[in-house]
Every structure is written in structure tokens, then in C-alpha cells.
Amino acid sequence: MFSFEGFVRIDAICRGIFRVAALSVLWLATTILGLGLLGFGPASYATAKSVDRWLRHGETPPLARTFVADVRERTGEAMLAGAVVLGAGGVIVTNVFLAPTWILQAVNVLALVVLGVATAYVFPVMATTDIATTRRRFAAALLIGFGSLHWTIIGAAAVGAAWWLLWTYATPLLLLFGAGLPAFVVGLVTRIVFRPLEESPEVPGSTHRSLHHPMISPATEQVS
């Protein structure tokens, strides 16, 4: 028989699965309503902020309401980051197929991998730090992704395997979990990466904690 703790654990797992699915639906709806190019960035930012709030701070406010508020929070900046990702991705993918030599194709495939790492972490960086410019956010995203390369590879492998299983055996569920699953995995990675940064000593006379790299600093918490 299950103990009370076992039932509580099962309930937490079920709630987590539901939250990942709900985030996927909200991300997809926001992206579609924004006609793709305009919606991708704000939807990804809101998803990253919701996941960070959940996994790193243990906060689970009403999801739809807070998601909409997060979409509206930094819409312009998120749209710019999303446009950079989609624009660069379009150029690189085109070059992969149209490059005249295999060497150029290989270079563009490598560039696509780098862009994938940047895309995975740039929205969490925007959601959790006070870095002010898009260029520095992408630089910090690459610093996190390649600075914690083992976690990035493990996370990418886990997401790839999950996507393959869903595509092979339960294709409709790929739509339900397709966006929320990688956001959840990236959230787990950033929780590990940011933990030592949060535990570093405070800078005298500052409300921020000192970090190991000047490009990464935790966001100032605002009291509503």
C-alpha cells in the first residue's frame, strides 16, 4: 500500500505534468496570436519566467493570469530577442541547404547548434537577470550553455529522446508537451547553474549578490 507521502509525491508529479502541458498550450496560443514572429519571443519569455518561478522559487500562482502578465511585462525586448533567433535561424537553415560545398554546410550546422544553445538560455537569462541589452543576454546565454556543457548535452539528449518517443508512440501528445518539456528541462539546468551564484556573498552596499561573471547577475525582485 502507498503511504501518505507516496500519494503526496504522485499528486505533485501529476500537478507538474499538468503544468508543463498547460505551459505548452499557452506558449503555442501566444505564438499563434502573435503571428509567429511577433509572438514567439514574448511567449518564450513568459514560459521561461513561469518555469523559473516554479522550479527555482517554488511559486505556483494561477498559471494563465501570470502568464499573460509576463507576456505583457517586457514585450518589446522579448520580441527583439525572438526576431534575432528566428531571423538567424532562417538564414542558417537556408545556408545549410543551399551552401555549395559540404564544408560550408558543416559550418552552418555548427552555427545552428550554437544558435540552439543561445535560444535555450536567452529567455531564462532575460527572465532571471538584470542584463540590459540583447547582445549581452545572448552572450550570457552562450556562457551558461557552453560553461555548463555537460548539463546542456544531457538536457538536449533527454528532450530529444522524449520528443522521439512522443512522435513515435503518441504524436498528439507532442503538441501538448512539445514546448513545455524543453522549457522545463532548461529550467532544471538553470536552477543548478544559478544555485552557486545565489549562494555567493552579497556585495557591500548593494541589494544584488556578487556573481562569478559580470554578465550574469540575478534580477532584482520587485515587491508588488
Side-chain angles (χ1 to χ4, degrees):
M1 295 179 64
F2 285 111
S3 64
F4 175 76
E5 291 77 8
F7 280 111
V8 170
R9 190 175 298 109
I10 292 173
D11 178 71
I13 292 173
C14 291
R15 288 175 181 270
I17 293 173
F18 172 80
R19 199 166 190 87
V20 170
L23 283 171
S24 286
V25 172
L26 289 169
W27 180 91
L28 184 61
T30 303
T31 302
I32 292 174
L33 289 174
L35 303 178
L37 180 62
L38 299 179
F40 171 76
S44 300
Y45 169 78
T47 301
K49 188 158 187 179
S50 296
V51 169
D52 181 76
R53 185 184 293 119
W54 171 28
L55 296 181
R56 205 155 60 91
H57 300 291
E59 301 173 2
T60 55
L63 187 57
R65 185 173 62 191
T66 54
F67 191 93
V68 172
D70 291 337
V71 167
R72 294 175 176 175
E73 185 178 64
R74 303 172 76 173
T75 305
E77 297 172 72
M79 286 173 58
L80 177 58
V84 170
V85 168
L86 295 178
V91 171
I92 294 172
V93 170
T94 300
N95 289 338
V96 168
F97 289 100
L98 298 183
T101 65
W102 69 268
I103 296 179
L104 290 177
Q105 288 180 324
V107 169
N108 280 280
V109 169
L110 180 60
L112 192 61
V113 172
V114 173
L115 179 63
V117 173
T119 303
Y121 293 103
V122 69
F123 295 105
V125 165
M126 184 183 299
T128 59
T129 73
D130 56 4
I131 296 175
T133 66
T134 299
R135 179 181 63 83
R136 288 175 64 84
R137 287 170 186 151
F138 275 96
L142 291 174
L143 180 68
I144 294 172
F146 288 103
S148 305
L149 187 58
H150 57 300
W151 290 118
T152 299
I153 293 173
I154 292 172
V159 171
W163 277 351
W164 179 82
L165 289 172
L166 291 175
W167 175 263
T168 304
Y169 299 105
T171 304
L173 292 182
L174 188 59
L175 291 176
L176 192 59
F177 293 97
L181 183 60
F184 176 78
V185 172
V186 169
L188 292 176
V189 174
T190 54
R191 184 176 68 171
I192 296 171
V193 172
F194 289 153
R195 183 179 297 130
L197 305 183
E198 293 174 338
E199 295 171 353
S200 59
E202 293 186 0
V203 178
S206 173
T207 58
H208 298 285
R209 292 186 181 275
S210 61
L211 303 175
H212 298 297
H213 194 281
M215 296 176 63
I216 303 177
S217 59
T220 304
E221 294 185 1
Q222 300 178 349
V223 179
S224 56

